């Protein structure tokens, strides 16, 4: 009888803060059993792990592209920026995320691609919470 053995992803406890993109990619990582079987078949055929993985990656972009985080999916304390680092208010103009500057806060934005955040000026006497 086939038994299911869950694979666990173990990472450094500080990875989420130190390298949020890497943390998100690891969180997104899911490999269907068919892909594992294809990868093992490819290794049996070529006899080299690096070549097998490279060939598998070329033929399975539909699998691994889902793991790669969207660079415009900003987290708390961040906002959308364009390619020159200027803060923008819509994802169409953005190429990434950056920490909001003093005097601004990270405001949630929902669009056709999902959730992200923009930096907006704080009102007089207001500040952004630390959490």
């Amino acid at each position: 009888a086939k038994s299911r053995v869950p694979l666990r992803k173990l990472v450094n406890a500080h990875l989420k803060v130190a390298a949020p993109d890497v943390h998100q990619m690891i969180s997104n990582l899911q490999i269907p059993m068919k892909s594992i079987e294809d990868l093992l078949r490819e290794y049996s055929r070529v006899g080299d792990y690096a070549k097998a993985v490279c060939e598998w990656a070329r033929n399975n972009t539909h699998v691994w592209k889902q793991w790669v985080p969207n660079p415009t999916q900003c987290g708390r304390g961040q906002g959308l920026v364009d390619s020159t680092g200027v803060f923008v208010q819509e994802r169409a103009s953005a190429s990434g995320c950056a920490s909001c500057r003093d005097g601004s806060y990270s405001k949630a934005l929902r669009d056709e691609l999902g959730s992200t955040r923009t930096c907006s000026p704080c009102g007089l006497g207001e500040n952004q919470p630390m959490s």
Side-chain angles (χ1 to χ4, degrees):
K2 283 188 176 181
S3 64
R4 297 189 114 194
V5 179
L7 296 177
R8 305 231 191 297
K9 302 170 218 167
L10 303 175
V11 296
N12 180 296
H14 303 288
L15 188 65
K16 189 172 187 174
V17 173
D21 288 343
V22 173
H23 179 270
Q24 187 62 51
M25 185 168 177
I26 292 169
S27 297
N28 294 346
L29 188 102
Q30 292 184 359
I31 305 175
M33 184 55 72
K34 182 186 180 318
S35 291
I36 293 170
E37 292 166 353
D38 291 346
L39 185 53
L40 291 172
R41 261 192 297 283
E42 186 62 23
Y43 171 70
S44 293
R45 189 179 74 75
V46 298
D48 180 275
Y49 286 114
K51 287 179 182 176
V53 169
C54 185
E55 188 63 28
W56 179 87
R58 270 194 281 252
N59 294 327
N60 291 277
T61 55
H62 65 283
V63 175
W64 63 261
K65 283 212 175 190
Q66 297 174 46
W67 307 341
V68 180
N70 182 330
T72 62
Q73 187 174 358
C74 305
R76 286 187 175 185
Q78 296 182 318
L80 295 168
V81 292
D82 67 14
S83 61
T84 64
V86 173
F87 288 96
V88 295
Q89 296 301 306
E90 69 278 336
R91 200 185 305 243
S93 304
S95 63
C97 302
S99 295
C100 294
R101 296 190 181 117
D102 290 343
S104 64
Y105 70 100
S106 182
K107 180 179 173 183
L109 170 71
R110 184 128 184 100
D111 62 13
E112 66 280 354
L113 296 177
S115 298
T116 191
R117 301 183 85 79
T118 61
C119 293
S120 296
C122 291
L124 288 176
E126 293 178 340
N127 64 335
Q128 175 172 293
M130 293 303 289
S131 59

